[in-house]
Amino acid sequence: MLRAFMSYYKPYKRLFAFTLFCGILAGALELAFPLAVNQVIDNLLPSGNWTIILWSAVGLLALYIFNGGFHYVITYWGHKLGINIETDMRRELFDHIQKQSVQYFDNTKTGHLISRLTNDLMDIGEVAHHGPEEVAISIMTLLGAFGIMLSINWQLAVMTFVLVPFLIVFTYFFGKKMSVAMTWMFSSIADFNSRVENNVTGIRVVKAFVNEGHESEKFSHNNKGFRASKLKAYKIMAKYTASSQIVMKFLLIFVLLCGTWFVINGQLTYGEFVAFVLLANVMIGPINKLNAVMEMYPKGIAGFRRYLDLLNMKPEQEDNPNAIHVEKLKGDIEYKNVVFGYENKDKVLNGVNFSIRAGETVALVGPSGAGKTTICSLLPRFYEIDNGEISIDDYNIHDLTMASLREQIGVVQQDVFLFDASIRENIAYGKLDATDEEIWEAAERAQMTTIIKSLPEGLDTLIGERGVKLSGGQKQRLSIARMFLKNPAILILDEATSALDTETEAAIQSALAELAVGRTTIIIAHRLATIKEADRIFVVTENGIEEEGTHQELLQKKGAYSRLHHAQFDFDYAGA
């Protein structure tokens, strides 16, 4: 894990070396002050030469001005190093998350992913800056102080440094406890983020059911858990800080007492004694820095461990080594004995067989839960089949790269997802390099130009999160415009108009009809009136494809489709 962490320093090794060098110089200058005080007390003060004392003070001030510059470099450029590493990690993690399968996102809380991309990496960035650099500088300063102490009085130096191993053991003990507490705290933060994200995205449902009180109770539960985990972590930190302060003051008192004994016995001059006390005080700085790193380390290492766990998780779906990239497909589709179940549960599809000719429009109908949407989700490999084969233009879909496969397939769903951006950006998502002329053409074909022109900012109108500022019909038109730009060979319409009123549905159906021209189109529909003109209709039940034919052929068979048709239209008639 340490090797993995240090690998992120490679692109910034010069910056790291520069800040480390400045840190070493700053540490060396810290050691110069006790020596200067020693010289003033033992040599300059007895001489009474005020001019030399004054110029010595000016020289020392100049050195500390340089020291201030070194500390600026350490603070700014050192944090820049940490931020660079944090940014690289965040980019790498985001790219890795993008490679995960749809099934992974089905089972992962959004709040947990957000927490790993934000809180975890911010703490890792702090460790990246303060960790190796401050450890190296602190050790150098400690060794430097010990060396100077040895030169002044080796017996007192050894007596003082006998305490250092106890400080190291003390720090290690608390560090382990902090690591466990911080891991628990990060988990609580992720749960907390997930709860907030769920509430914010579902706020309309919450208000519609007047469940604000219920949500507040659930939030309160998560909030209390978050509070408890933070209190536990900070309780350990408080014990550590308090104990650390006592130990540090004990070190100073020990040096003060032992040094006094050496002075009384004539083994130490007054200047050396003061210098020794100051050096002991200098030692406390590096030890405190090491303590601070140890406080930071558990948070950073817990975050980095979670980061690595996610980064090392292989995507459930990957291209075959010999997968080929196709530029254009005609759209001949065939399912052969396809078997599929979600996460090894009961099979949703068990031996599904059918074929669709290029340019043909077929409809999938049947009861809810029969597997219509699942059949369509397998085509772009949102999920992987358990057995059987799916092919397009005689290519097994597993022999094509997922990118080229999905470029050939467009999906328009009932629940349209739109980004919190402008109309222009949402339409252009179908073709990122689209010109304004292409965007307007796509909007016109989706019957959306009148709507856009009526808005004060036109294409640059911001539509809010998930398109909240648009009506259902406007969202659907926008998604269709996006699909015109993508121009796929195969089109899947999953209940694309079922949530719309009759007038809006008629307009959207007209736009969809134009979109379907020249493409292989698969329509999932519950309203049978919307698919009467389909070239073929497949009736999907728990037994697979139970019936197949045109609207009239299936009515004449008086089978499953006929029963669905009569049930739906008899209900509509009775309702009217």
Side-chain angles (χ1 to χ4, degrees), residues 351-356 360 362-367 370 372 375 523 528 531 534-566:
V352 170
N353 292 278
F354 66 84
S355 60
I356 303 171
E360 190 177 18
V362 302
L364 303 182
V365 301
K372 303 183 294 297
I375 287 172
I523 304 171
L528 302 186
I531 47 93
D535 296 321
R536 280 187 297 158
I537 299 169
F538 296 149
V539 181
V540 183
T541 68
E542 59 184 13
N543 300 318
I545 306 297
E546 192 166 310
E547 289 182 343
E548 173 189 340
T550 64
H551 172 70
Q552 289 300 329
E553 288 171 350
L554 291 175
L555 285 179
Q556 290 170 9
K557 284 184 180 180
K558 298 191 181 299
Y561 182 80
S562 179
R563 289 194 297 274
L564 283 171
H565 186 271
H566 285 303

Side-chain angles (χ1 to χ4, degrees), residues 434-446:
T435 63
D436 270 10
E437 289 75 14
E438 290 173 316
I439 292 171
W440 275 112
E441 182 185 350
E444 185 175 356
R445 296 178 72 182

Side-chain angles (χ1 to χ4, degrees), residues 56 82 114 210 263 288 316 328 356 378 424 478 495 532:
S56 298
I114 292 171
V210 199
V263 170
N288 281 334
E316 295 174 357
K328 189 68 177 173
I356 303 171
L378 296 176
R424 181 197 308 277
L478 200 156
E495 296 284 351
K532 288 194 297 185

